[in-house]
Amino acid sequence: MRMPTVCTYELARVADAETIANISRWLIEAGLQPTWTAARVAWHIQHPESTVLVAKENARLVGFGIMQFGEHAAHLNLLGVLPARQRHGVGRQLLSWLETTALTAGIVVVTLEVRSTNRGARTFYEALDYTVLDTITGYYEGREDALRLKHDLRIRSSSLPD
Ligand SMILES: CC(C)(COP(=O)(O)OP(=O)(O)OC[C@H]1O[C@@H](n2cnc3c(N)ncnc32)[C@H](O)[C@@H]1OP(=O)(O)O)[C@@H](O)C(=O)NCCC(=O)NCCS
């Protein structure tokens, strides 16, 4: 049986921006021109309409999520967990926190884009009740498609903790 990773979850500080950008570069934007610079992450950390959440294990950042809140929907910009900590429930916890934040703000729809080739993430989101809205051809530098996913938070996931 896999033991859950013992993490603390907290709002990111500007000092976390560089680590998040570095991880994003190889974990999420691998093979693409990086767009999530430390400055961009720091902007989201400081912006009132974004939440940047980090998971830390013994003070080491092992996961993060960035959600931006609009008038009608929230957009999950980034979600990542270090490979050694994947499949221990960290991604689920990060997303649950961010979704709860959206609900608290009165937002019931979350959208995101995922690389069409990213089977692991697609299965993760599917397990958490995200459904495919459509495919955006060439979304990534004109050479890789994205799937646009959506979750109506009024449909409660049986996979999320109480
Ligand atoms: C996608 C990602 C964030 C998931 O985080 P995680 O902490 O590993 O996910 P969890 O452990 O919370 O998984 C929850 C459930 O999702 C499903 N799941 C997660 N990863 C999966 C995988 N690679 N293959 C199949 N199912 C998966 C499982 O049902 C899992 O429950 P279980 O472990 O009890 O079976 C993580 O794999 C990751 O960082 N991937 C690389 C970056 C990325 O692709 N980010 C998303 C695009 S922005």
Side-chain angles (χ1 to χ4, degrees):
M1 198 178 96
R2 278 191 306 271
M3 295 302 290
T5 293
V6 180
C7 285
T8 57
Y9 296 86
E10 60 194 45
L11 293 176
R13 287 168 288 185
V14 171
D16 295 317
E18 192 158 356
T19 305
I20 293 171
N22 283 339
I23 297 172
S24 176
R25 192 170 303 133
W26 58 263
L27 184 67
I28 298 171
E29 298 193 285
L32 300 170
Q33 282 295 327
T35 61
W36 283 93
T37 61
R40 187 176 177 195
V41 174
W43 184 90
H44 281 273
I45 290 171
Q46 296 173 97
H47 199 281
E49 286 171 11
S50 289
T51 292
V52 183
L53 185 63
V54 290
K56 291 190 175 173
E57 192 182 31
N58 301 324
R60 177 178 178 235
L61 195 155
V62 297
F64 56 89
I66 300 181
M67 185 174 273
Q68 194 166 1
F69 303 97
E71 202 176 331
H72 302 294
H75 193 76
L76 186 68
N77 286 316
L78 286 182
L79 184 72
V81 176
L82 291 184
R85 289 294 168 267
Q86 290 177 9
R87 300 303 293 269
H88 288 77
V90 178
R92 187 197 301 263
Q93 287 289 344
L94 286 165
L95 192 51
S96 174
W97 174 316
L98 292 169
E99 288 181 343
T100 301
T101 305
L103 276 173
T104 305
I107 296 169
V108 295
V109 172
V110 177
T111 59
L112 62 95
E113 288 88 34
V114 62
R115 294 168 84 160
S116 60
T117 52
N118 189 346
R119 295 226 158 263
R122 286 174 59 179
T123 309
F124 166 78
Y125 289 121
E126 194 181 322
L128 299 180
D129 290 338
Y130 282 73
T131 54
V132 177
L133 273 179
D134 53 19
T135 300
I136 312 173
T137 306
Y139 182 80
Y140 299 103
E141 300 175 357
R143 56 195 171 88
E144 192 175 333
D145 299 345
L147 296 182
R148 200 151 56 99
L149 306 186
K150 172 186 168 178
H151 183 196
D152 184 333
L153 301 178
R154 289 166 292 194
I155 301 168
R156 175 128 179 86
S157 171
S158 52
S159 316
L160 287 173
D162 290 327

